[in-house]
Amino acid sequence: MQRVLWITGAGSGMGQAVARSASHAGWTVVLSGRRPEALRDTASSLPGPVLELPLDVRDGDAVRAARARVVAEFGRIDALVLAAGRNTPRRQWDDQDVEEFHDVVAVNLGAVVTVLDAALPDLRERSGVAVVISSYAGWAFHPNAGIAYSASKSALSSVVRTLNSGEAAHGVRATHLCPGDVDTDFLDQRPQVPDATARGRMLTADDVARTVQFVLDSPAHVRIDELVVSPVTPASRR
Ligand SMILES: NC(=O)c1ccc[n+]([C@@H]2O[C@H](COP(=O)([O-])OP(=O)(O)OC[C@H]3O[C@@H](n4cnc5c(N)ncnc54)[C@H](OP(=O)(O)O)[C@@H]3O)[C@@H](O)[C@H]2O)c1
């Protein structure tokens, strides 16, 4: 039986690139995100078995139902890649909307815990691995990332550490993955959207997927607690 990977944010960007790389590496992939057509698009390019489960990660009942569906369909969940995330252009103290603050935190932090909690029994059974896609802003303070984004992503470090310390006895492993700028649709949420030249200097979604694949394929006795991946740019351009 092929190993089963459940990906959130699988309809675009890094989640989609991870689906491609894992499917080519022989994993069965389960794709979640809100837009069914985006999941369909990801699924259509994959060589191996795939299940599309559209959902909003903020909806705990939908997450738990999806987990049950994966187990009913494949009998196991070996790995999670949690890429669903959001930011907002209005992100500083002088322009934020506090309702939006709570929503960014709900997607970037609350929903990560919801999915991990739902799939934990399955990860325990398989010495499973979870890759939490955080951010460079979750590793080192970056003022431009905004209040909600910085707070929610840096909290993921604690989520991963508590999981790794609390669940080591069951063989569960988690990675706090902190990418720098990646050329995806995500950048459209910035107050100043980067142009093609700036995007050309960034990481690609495939660069991050290659890193994730390394974690997924590492043996069960290896835990990779944290990884920081940055584009190499001359200091003057940063
Ligand atoms: N791009 C960067 O520079 C960068 C750098 C560091 C970290 N990150 C992080 O990397 C992760 C992936 O982002 P990306 O760059 O690949 O951008 P992306 O293409 O915009 O991916 C974000 C994904 O999250 C999904 N999503 C958002 N809200 C959701 C919700 N409530 N329920 C379910 N799915 C939801 C979106 O799908 P739907 O709209 O269909 O739901 C989308 O597929 C994010 O967590 C982001 O914070 C990005």
Side-chain angles (χ1 to χ4, degrees):
M1 177 73 184
Q2 285 186 317
R3 289 178 295 174
V4 175
L5 165 65
W6 184 14
I7 305 166
T8 68
S12 61
M14 296 180 224
Q16 183 177 66
V18 167
R20 251 190 331 259
S21 106
S23 182
H24 280 280
W27 290 69
T28 294
V29 291
V30 179
L31 311 175
S32 287
R34 286 169 302 177
R35 292 165 296 154
E37 67 284 0
L39 301 182
R40 179 114 295 261
D41 183 46
T42 300
S44 66
S45 67
L46 303 182
V50 56
L51 175 64
E52 296 150 52
L53 293 179
L55 56 79
D56 187 324
V57 289
R58 293 167 299 181
D59 180 346
D61 289 340
V63 166
R64 288 181 283 277
R67 176 261 167 180
R69 173 83 195 282
V70 180
V71 173
E73 193 92 14
F74 302 116
R76 59 196 283 174
I77 299 174
D78 299 80
L80 304 173
V81 173
L82 305 178
R86 67 160 294 193
N87 202 343
T88 168
R90 298 183 308 158
R91 54 179 72 177
Q92 303 298 347
W93 285 105
D94 60 5
D95 68 353
Q96 74 167 335
D97 169 345
V98 80
E99 292 306 320
E100 211 168 31
F101 169 93
H102 288 299
D103 195 60
V104 172
V105 174
V107 176
N108 292 356
L109 176 60
V112 167
V113 174
T114 303
V115 180
L116 285 168
D117 183 72
L120 191 55
D122 313 304
L123 297 180
R124 282 176 172 164
E125 236 175 79
R126 299 278 163 196
S127 297
V129 61
V131 181
V132 177
I133 310 280
S134 178
S135 170
Y136 197 93
W139 179 68
F141 175 63
H142 196 301
N144 295 344
I147 307 153
Y149 194 78
S150 297
S152 56
K153 291 294 190 179
S154 51
L156 292 175
S157 166
S158 299
V159 169
V160 167
R161 283 167 184 240
T162 54
L163 189 62
N164 280 338
S165 67
E167 291 298 320
H170 297 107
V172 174
R173 301 156 292 144
T175 300
H176 184 231
L177 177 57
C178 304
D181 291 342
V182 188
D183 179 16
T184 68
D185 296 345
F186 203 79
L187 304 176
D188 297 339
Q189 302 176 66
R190 287 191 179 173
Q192 278 88 40
V193 177
D195 62 15
T197 309
R199 286 173 186 259
R201 293 194 291 260
M202 296 179 180
L203 298 171
T204 66
D206 287 329
D207 293 328
V208 178
R210 198 166 48 245
T211 307
V212 170
Q213 197 62 46
F214 167 73
V215 176
L216 294 178
D217 289 341
S218 293
H221 68 282
V222 176
R223 185 173 81 204
I224 299 162
D225 298 75
E226 188 168 65
L227 286 170
V228 183
V229 187
S230 311
V232 179
T233 51
S236 59
R237 291 203 199 136
R238 295 203 100 170

